Amino acid sequence: VDDARIQVQNLVAELQVKVNSIRPLVLDMYAEQESMQAALGSYNAAVAKGVRLMDEVESYRKQTAAEIQSYRYQDLGFMIFRNEAIQKYRSTFDLSTRYAYLAAAAYDYETNQLRSDTTTGASFLDDITRQRSPGVITNGIPQAGGGGLANPLARLNSNFSVYKSQMGFNNPQTEATPFSLRNSLSRLKADSNAAWKSALLSYKKADLNNIDAYRRYCRPFADMTKPQPGLVIPFSTHVESGTNFFGLPLGSGDSSYDPSRFATKIRSVGLWFKGYDKAGLSSTPRAYLVPAGSDILRFPAGNSFDTRSWKVTDQKLPAPFPLTTDEISAADFSPLNNSLSGVLGDIRRFSSIRAYNDSGVSGLGAEQLAQMNTDSSLIGRSVWNTSWYLIIPGGYLLADSDVGLDNFINSISDIRLYFQTYSYSGN
């Protein structure tokens, strides 16, 4: 019994030791549980903060997206209006440049300086194409020294003011001269009627609409879908020593212009049909006189016989008119469409010229000159040209064009060109 009691006491003591050892472990467990609860709280707080931040980011993105969209629309509107303004400015400036370029080209044609000369129009053309601003313009007058387009235009004006007296622009020599196609061009005398008629027959064309010079340079007088017979007489003109007006050796009875003058230009032209049959033909014959080649001008330097060739195109040059702010601000504003009185650059075709006709008058006297109809559409062009066409439509002679041409060829004794000119001496 004692042994059993002792054994029980030992087991109780051992159990007491183990119970005592469990207490700190339970305390540790409670501490860990507290730590776990604290960590769980921190975790939940972090998750809540993250959710809150995500909500804030989403809200911020929505707000920012709305602001960016608004800014984009504003920027797009700014760019559209800015680009529209720049486009209007650019197109208006380009139009101004074209007019300035044409002014320099006209200056170059009138003065006809050597390419090496510093005052030649070519130097101004290069300067004009480099400009990117209008420059200084006071009361509509371009000013030199301020750059832009105004600078070369002001210098052009100053140079031309000096050249007016140096080259004789303010003191031109005028003259009126008739030229015979029979005598001076065909070299046919008064007793060569058969050869003259043969020459006229060689110029006869079945349809003027097939002639490039007529289609390109002449305003049609009738329906171009129908054949229009006529005479087409080609020739060239010259202003050279020892030659007549048509470039042939100068002979008796020939006429020519003075080669010592650097430029001889047309004031007006007229036609004279000598020996015209008024009884068998219309009383108002008409014809086209067309310069289709290049104008030739001699350099104005005193001892120079060199020339420059100019391919002149007769084009429309409408004058710009003032614009209001409302017109410029219009969305469809275009300088070419809204600031000009016509279409810039349209080719101007030549109309026919009424020819003076007689029944065999020997000369071109005061009475004939009074009846002569002159045309000034060629004003400013050089009389020296590499290719001319005199086109005489049969439709202006009779309703039956072929009969009219036959009567014309059989009756006409000469065709004379009448030029009123002005010329400059040069340096």
Side-chain angles (χ1 to χ4, degrees):
V1 175
D2 292 332
D3 292 337
R5 184 182 294 111
I6 292 172
Q7 186 177 1
V8 170
Q9 289 177 349
N10 289 336
L11 290 172
V12 170
E14 185 178 351
L15 179 61
Q16 186 68 41
V17 172
K18 290 182 178 182
V19 169
N20 291 336
S21 64
I22 287 174
R23 288 177 180 174
L25 293 176
V26 171
L27 292 176
D28 290 341
M29 184 184 69
Y30 284 143
E32 292 296 331
Q33 184 180 9
E34 290 295 329
S35 297
M36 183 185 71
Q37 292 293 335
L40 180 60
S42 298
Y43 168 77
N44 290 333
V47 170
K49 183 179 180 180
V51 172
R52 186 174 63 256
L53 288 175
M54 291 178 65
D55 292 339
E56 291 178 357
V57 168
E58 183 178 3
S59 176
Y60 175 78
R61 284 178 176 176
K62 290 180 179 180
Q63 181 180 357
T64 304
E67 292 178 356
I68 291 175
Q69 186 177 21
S70 175
Y71 290 145
R72 282 178 176 173
Y73 279 119
Q74 293 177 16
D75 183 62
L76 179 62
F78 170 75
M79 292 177 64
I80 290 175
F81 293 122
R82 183 197 63 180
N83 292 344
E84 180 185 15
I86 292 175
Q87 183 181 9
K88 289 180 179 179
Y89 171 82
R90 186 70 232 182
S91 57
T92 305
F93 181 77
D94 288 344
L95 181 62
S96 302
T97 302
R98 291 180 67 178
Y99 273 88
Y101 192 94
L102 290 172
Y107 165 90
D108 199 19
Y109 177 79
E110 291 295 328
T111 59
N112 199 52
Q113 295 287 333
L114 289 164
R115 287 290 184 181
S116 58
D117 198 307
T118 57
T119 59
T120 185
S123 62
F124 291 100
L125 295 176
D126 294 338
D127 191 12
I128 287 170
T129 56
R130 287 194 295 264
Q131 301 303 326
R132 293 296 179 269
S133 64
V136 180
I137 300 175
T138 305
N139 296 326
I141 300 175
Q143 304 296 316
L149 284 178
N151 187 56
L153 287 176
R155 291 190 291 115
L156 273 176
N157 185 52
S158 297
N159 287 356
F160 196 76
S161 298
V162 174
Y163 285 143
K164 279 185 178 179
S165 57
Q166 286 187 356
M167 294 186 179
F169 293 154
N170 58 352
N171 187 29
Q173 182 185 85
T174 61
E175 59 181 288
T177 310
F179 300 94
S180 168
L181 297 188
R182 176 169 179 162
N183 298 332
S184 298
L185 177 63
S186 300
R187 287 307 196 201
L188 298 174
K189 301 302 181 181
D191 57 352
S192 55
N193 290 333
W196 171 241
K197 291 180 182 179
S198 177
L200 291 178
L201 282 171
S202 68
Y203 298 134
K204 186 176 180 181
K205 305 298 179 183
D207 188 5
L208 295 178
N209 297 314
N210 296 328
I211 306 301
D212 180 68
Y214 176 76
R215 293 196 314 271
R216 184 175 181 183
Y217 297 108
C218 301
R219 289 193 65 186
F221 65 96
D223 188 357
M224 297 185 70
T225 62
K226 299 178 181 178
Q228 298 295 337
L231 302 182
V232 180
I233 305 175
F235 59 91
S236 62
T237 55
H238 300 258
V239 183
E240 296 178 284
S241 176
T243 68
N244 69 3
F245 185 54
F246 299 104
L248 300 175
L250 188 66
S252 60
D254 281 341
S255 297
S256 63
Y257 286 109
D258 186 358
S260 71
R261 308 186 75 80
F262 92 94
T264 301
K265 297 185 177 181
I266 299 170
R267 175 61 184 86
S268 63
V269 297
L271 292 173
W272 179 21
F273 292 157
K274 190 173 185 299
Y276 186 83
D277 182 12
K278 293 182 179 180
L281 295 169
S282 166
S283 296
T284 54
R286 303 177 191 274
Y288 297 91
L289 183 60
V290 177
S294 299
D295 284 8
I296 306 297
L297 295 172
R298 184 169 283 114
F299 290 124
N303 297 323
S304 174
F305 287 92
D306 294 329
T307 60
R308 284 181 69 181
S309 175
W310 297 87
K311 186 61 178 177
V312 180
T313 302
D314 194 359
Q315 295 176 289
K316 292 182 180 179
L317 190 62
F321 52 82
L323 294 170
T324 64
T325 304
D326 292 339
E327 289 174 324
I328 298 175
S329 301
D332 58 349
F333 171 77
S334 170
L336 286 174
N337 297 330
N338 302 106
S339 65
L340 301 181
S341 56
V343 179
L344 177 64
D346 269 5
I347 301 299
R348 290 180 17 173
R349 298 186 178 188
F350 297 104
S351 297
S352 59
I353 304 170
R354 181 174 172 179
Y356 170 75
N357 60 85
D358 62 49
S359 298
V361 178
S362 59
L364 195 61
E367 181 181 350
Q368 288 74 33
L369 285 174
Q371 299 178 42
M372 174 73 72
N373 295 285
T374 58
D375 185 273
S376 60
S377 59
L378 298 179
I379 189 170
R381 296 290 300 269
S382 173
V383 296
W384 187 353
N385 193 283
T386 59
S387 178
W388 290 81
Y389 287 93
L390 176 61
I391 302 174
I392 307 173
Y396 280 133
L397 304 174
L398 283 179
D400 190 327
S401 300
D402 288 309
V403 175
L405 288 173
D406 290 340
N407 291 348
F408 180 84
I409 292 172
N410 290 327
S411 65
I412 200 77
S413 61
D414 196 2
I415 299 174
R416 295 186 178 180
L417 307 177
Y418 176 76
F419 282 85
Q420 291 180 324
T421 61
Y422 58 97
S423 59
Y424 305 129
S425 61
N427 189 0

